[in-house]
Amino acid sequence: MPFDRRDQAVRAAVEQGLLRAEQPVAALLDVTGIRACAAALRGAFAAVTDAPVLHAFAVKAAPLVPVLALLRDEGIGAEVASPGELALARAAGLPPDRTVLDSPAKTPAELREALELGIAVNADNPQELARIDALVGASPTSSPLGLRVNPQVGGGAIEALSTATATSKFGVALRDEGARDWVVRAYLDRPWLTRLHTHSGSQGMPPTLMTRAIGAVYELAEEINATAGRQQIDTVDIGGGLPVNFASDEQTPTFAAYARLLKEDVPGLLDGRYGLVTEFGRSLLAKHGTILARVEYTKTAGGRPIAVTHAGVQVATRTVYDPASWPLRIAAYDSKGRPKSGAAVVQDVAGPACFAGDLLAEARPLPLLEPGDVIAVLDTGAYYFSNHYGYNSLPRPGIYGFTTDPEGDSSTTRFATVRAPQSPVEIVAESGGGQPDALLSP
């Protein structure tokens, strides 16, 4: 998010009591930034194709009903991968025709519900496709149906997020012996199979590798349609996964640059014959979220200053366990929420959890932090505050959407509660507090 809006919001969060001694962690979402990003995505694809495009937000990136409703208001649909995510999308008012179900482990009940609702489904494997055969045979459906294939083009910089490797668990491995012929036959035998899906990964994936995977799937769609003698496949779901720049405020790569690259590399896909589905998540939200935490104590160890804060592994799990892949920027503010000045001092920024590795930043040059100061963990709008890790029974932080005054007056910054802070009572309740004697006489 632009730093001026962020600075206004941090100061307002302190002034309005969202962040205080009794509530030392809070997450902020820039509503203006999210709306602008959604508009940029729509505009980027409108500039390269006249075909219909459904931009389906990957709900796992921010499984929060108000966020999904905001994106729905901006013309963005939902890509869901579990019954819980589908329930969230429905609660946010997402209609079936703007919802896509993807998952490598869909149950019969999940498939049945999706087909009854008319939600698009991408089958992951031959066994799942057989289940869909039975369901379609028993009861007609309006659901658009497709098959996910793995073009096996290789992985990116983060192995765990690379889904088009030779041995990925996702989709039908297209280069395996006999697989391509099986896919073509699967479509010829099922006239109602009209979509083709791929997703090659997200963070750490170069866009050129993503477009190579999409090109491979486009060629498969052309082969199937030619063999069928008609355009049986009318829509290609190209997935999402555009990587995010976590090194600065610059939003790169842009949706526009990616859409132009797609136009250059796979022009036939965008000539109007195929509808498109995208499934972006992190790239829509990451830059528009900030986690704030108060500095509780400061100390030194081995001559290095350490700031102990209330944000750590519970909100930044990936960063704590894999800092090389998921580094985060930290901005320093004083106790009143104003940008902190002073010479940069190399220091650690630690979280509250009871293990030595709970560090948001190690040997990071920042103005020397003091008790009562505020750190802002930047670029955390996707995954970081939505996928809580309950280590030490640390509570989920409150999440607040905000809009700011263009004139820069923090007193007019408005906040809306997206999710209230978790209370100790709620922690006890979800930890079996309602049945404390359950194991005394099993």
Side-chain angles (χ1 to χ4, degrees):
M1 70 185 72
F3 70 90
D4 53 348
R5 285 206 304 270
R6 181 169 64 228
D7 287 350
Q8 285 183 52
V10 173
R11 184 166 182 174
V14 173
E15 292 174 346
Q16 297 182 34
L18 299 185
L19 189 74
R20 58 190 189 277
E22 302 78 20
Q23 198 65 60
V25 187
L28 307 182
L29 277 172
D30 179 6
V31 173
T32 301
I34 293 171
R35 287 190 182 276
C37 202
L41 173 58
R42 296 195 316 270
F45 277 78
V48 298
T49 183
D50 294 327
V53 182
L54 169 62
H55 297 295
F57 174 70
V59 172
K60 55 185 169 288
L64 300 160
V65 172
V67 169
L68 302 182
L70 173 64
L71 291 171
R72 181 209 66 213
D73 194 54
E74 287 296 321
I76 307 297
E79 185 260 347
V80 302
S82 72
E85 289 185 358
L86 176 55
L88 294 174
R90 296 186 70 189
L94 271 298
D97 64 357
R98 300 193 66 77
T99 305
V100 179
L101 173 62
D102 295 317
S103 163
K106 306 180 197 72
T107 66
E110 286 179 71
L111 292 170
R112 188 176 301 107
E113 179 184 25
L115 297 188
E116 289 174 351
L117 291 171
I119 289 169
V121 177
N122 291 314
D124 180 81
N125 55 70
Q127 293 172 3
E128 183 181 336
L129 189 57
R131 287 182 175 179
I132 293 175
D133 283 338
L135 291 169
V136 170
S139 179
T141 178
S142 61
S143 291
L145 299 171
L147 180 67
R148 178 170 182 168
V149 297
N150 170 14
Q152 295 173 292
V153 295
I158 304 176
E159 183 178 357
L161 296 188
S162 300
T163 55
T165 62
T167 57
S168 171
K169 73 177 186 179
F170 292 99
V172 177
L174 197 55
R175 295 181 180 180
D176 282 13
E177 185 177 357
R180 191 182 191 95
D181 290 342
W182 179 88
V183 170
V184 173
R185 174 50 54 189
Y187 277 84
L188 298 181
D189 291 344
R190 298 167 177 83
W192 42 263
L193 209 55
T194 60
R195 290 189 171 189
L196 198 57
H197 175 225
T198 191
H199 173 72
S200 54
S202 52
Q203 196 64 23
M205 288 292 293
T208 51
L209 189 58
M210 294 165 57
T211 59
R212 189 190 311 166
I214 293 167
V217 172
Y218 163 71
E219 291 173 0
L220 176 61
E222 292 281 272
E223 178 182 345
I224 291 169
N225 287 343
T227 305
R230 63 187 181 90
Q231 187 164 358
Q232 179 173 339
I233 296 177
D234 57 28
T235 301
V236 178
D237 185 333
I238 65 172
L242 194 64
V244 169
N245 163 37
F246 285 101
S248 74
D249 281 326
E250 188 177 6
Q251 296 190 38
T252 55
T254 64
F255 292 121
Y258 177 64
R260 289 194 298 269
L261 179 63
L262 195 60
K263 182 76 170 180
E264 293 170 5
D265 290 356
V266 199
L269 182 64
L270 303 177
D271 65 11
R273 291 176 297 131
Y274 291 96
L276 295 178
V277 177
T278 74
E279 299 172 359
F280 296 105
R282 179 181 293 105
S283 50
L284 271 168
L285 267 290
K287 287 291 181 183
H288 311 296
T290 302
I291 294 173
L292 306 181
R294 285 171 52 90
V295 177
E296 194 66 47
Y297 299 111
T298 56
K299 60 176 73 174
T300 62
R304 181 184 295 172
I306 302 170
V308 180
T309 80
H310 288 275
V313 71
Q314 85 278 27
V315 293
T317 313
R318 283 175 168 172
T319 293
V320 168
Y321 284 115
D322 187 6
S325 298
W326 300 100
L328 284 172
R329 294 182 296 143
I330 307 290
Y333 294 82
D334 66 19
S335 61
K336 296 184 182 298
R338 299 171 301 197
K340 192 173 177 69
S341 59
V345 176
V346 173
Q347 57 199 296
D348 292 350
V349 180
C354 292
F355 71 98
D358 189 23
L359 298 170
L360 290 180
E362 190 170 3
R364 186 72 56 88
L366 292 166
L368 187 62
L369 293 165
E370 303 170 281
D373 283 347
V374 175
I375 64 157
V377 191
L378 310 184
D379 305 330
T380 48
Y383 294 100
Y384 279 91
F385 55 74
S386 57
N387 296 337
H388 186 74
Y389 181 49
Y391 198 96
N392 285 149
S393 295
L394 292 164
R396 290 188 294 270
I399 302 172
Y400 308 92
F402 71 85
T403 54
T404 58
D405 182 350
E407 301 301 319
D409 183 357
S410 63
S411 67
T412 60
T413 298
R414 297 182 300 278
F415 292 99
T417 301
V418 174
R419 186 185 69 198
Q422 188 180 29
S423 70
V425 171
E426 291 171 319
I427 292 175
V428 171
E430 71 175 19
S431 301
Q435 48 276 348
D437 298 334
L439 300 180
L440 299 182
S441 55

